[in-house]
Amino acid sequence: MWTEQVFRPSYIAKERTMGTPDIDMIAKSGYQGTMDLPMALYYEQVLEEYPDCKFILTVRESSEIWFKSWDTLLKSITQPARYARNILPFMNRFGLYFRWLSAVVNTDDSYFTTGWPLPDQQKAPSIASYEAHNARVREVIPSKQLLEYSVKEGWEPLCNFLEIEDCPTVPFPKSNSARSVQVQSVSAMLLPLVIVLFVLFYGVAMFVKKTTGKTVLGWANMKCVQLQHSLMGSPPPVRKAFKSA
């Protein structure tokens, strides 16, 4: 949905547009809530279609801290996509997404036309977008349906706001650190690559076995022996079959 209705049209037009994603499709698929980007940018459309729903606005200690996190995140996820898109075609959709997201947050359409690697995030326009987004959310969403929340507050505010009686007692998770994001990004690129390489190796191994009767290692060892003798100018040894008396 996102690629065809939002990201690709913006890339073709070389200008950022928000499009009209099918929010109903998400609800009809059985989901009762959404989080993170790009959905976080469509709160007005969500409110219009679901006027009774609740919204959680996550906030940081300051705009400076938010930008540091944002900049680290984009650098962590765009670098793997930069290389993986040349090997794994489906990664191109992530390239479109990163271009669109950078253009929207930085209010700069040049992210659609520049080559890889994408330019760094721009501090001033990014912070301006962040602060304007938060201000608009506070203005549009009714106060009774909005929770401003910092993850440092733990479970209680979330449980109270969402009317969850059985609130978790385990420590609040912390799994989105800069290091973990980097590991997840690289892993997401490497796993499909490993699968592709395994399939290719298996195909080659079956072909070698069928045509030579040897395993890949046995065939490679035979070729190494032949190469050594060729370089030394002597024929490879011929194995003789002995018959028992």
Side-chain angles (χ1 to χ4, degrees):
M1 173 182 76
W2 292 106
T3 300
E4 299 307 322
Q5 295 185 18
V6 181
F7 308 149
R8 196 182 304 280
S10 293
Y11 178 73
I12 293 174
K14 299 296 183 287
E15 63 179 4
R16 58 193 182 280
T17 59
M18 300 305 291
T20 53
D22 187 359
I23 305 298
D24 280 338
M25 185 184 75
I26 300 175
K28 291 177 181 177
S29 297
Y31 297 99
Q32 296 182 341
T34 66
M35 60 178 293
D36 216 333
L37 297 164
M39 272 302 300
L41 300 175
Y42 291 84
Y43 54 92
E44 293 191 64
Q45 183 177 340
V46 173
L47 179 64
E48 181 179 347
E49 297 189 29
Y50 301 92
D52 296 327
C53 72
K54 294 184 176 183
F55 295 81
I56 300 172
L57 176 64
T58 54
V59 293
R60 302 299 296 265
E61 296 90 329
S62 69
S63 299
E64 294 281 340
I65 292 176
W66 170 83
F67 177 77
K68 182 179 179 180
S69 175
W70 167 253
D71 189 46
T72 300
L73 172 66
L74 264 291
K75 287 178 179 177
S76 298
I77 60 180
T78 56
Q79 287 304 320
R82 170 191 176 188
Y83 298 106
R85 68 191 184 88
N86 296 320
I87 305 172
L88 306 171
F90 75 88
M91 289 296 291
N92 282 318
R93 71 183 67 177
F94 291 100
L96 293 175
Y97 171 51
F98 298 146
R99 287 182 180 277
W100 176 85
L101 188 58
S102 295
V104 169
V105 173
N106 292 274
T107 60
D108 185 350
D109 290 335
S110 67
Y111 286 92
F112 289 118
T113 56
T114 187
W116 290 89
L118 295 180
D120 290 341
Q121 300 300 297
Q122 303 169 48
K123 186 175 182 179
S126 292
I127 288 179
S129 293
Y130 168 72
E131 294 178 344
H133 169 85
N134 289 357
R136 181 62 178 166
V137 168
R138 296 181 184 112
E139 177 185 350
V140 171
I141 307 299
S143 58
K144 292 183 179 181
Q145 295 172 233
L146 176 64
L147 170 67
E148 287 197 42
Y149 174 74
S150 168
V151 293
K152 292 185 176 181
E153 298 178 74
W155 295 110
E156 187 174 355
L158 290 175
C159 293
N160 292 337
F161 181 66
L162 298 175
E163 301 178 29
I164 298 175
E165 296 182 0
D166 189 15
C167 197
T169 56
V170 297
F172 197 81
K174 181 182 180 182
S175 59
N176 201 30
S177 64
R179 178 66 63 185
S180 67
V181 168
Q182 292 171 346
V183 171
Q184 292 168 17
S185 300
V186 174
S187 299
M189 177 187 71
L190 290 181
L191 181 59
L193 180 60
V194 169
I195 294 174
V196 170
L197 292 177
F198 175 79
V199 172
L200 290 175
F201 177 80
Y202 181 80
V204 170
M206 292 297 99
F207 175 79
V208 171
K209 182 70 175 180
K210 184 176 181 179
T211 55
T212 69
K214 299 178 180 293
T215 64
V216 172
L217 292 177
W219 176 82
N221 183 60
M222 180 187 71
K223 290 298 181 182
C224 287
V225 171
Q226 292 177 350
L227 179 60
Q228 290 175 359
H229 286 279
S230 175
L231 295 175
M232 295 172 61
S234 60
V238 179
R239 292 184 178 181
K240 296 181 178 181
F242 295 93
K243 295 182 179 180
S244 60

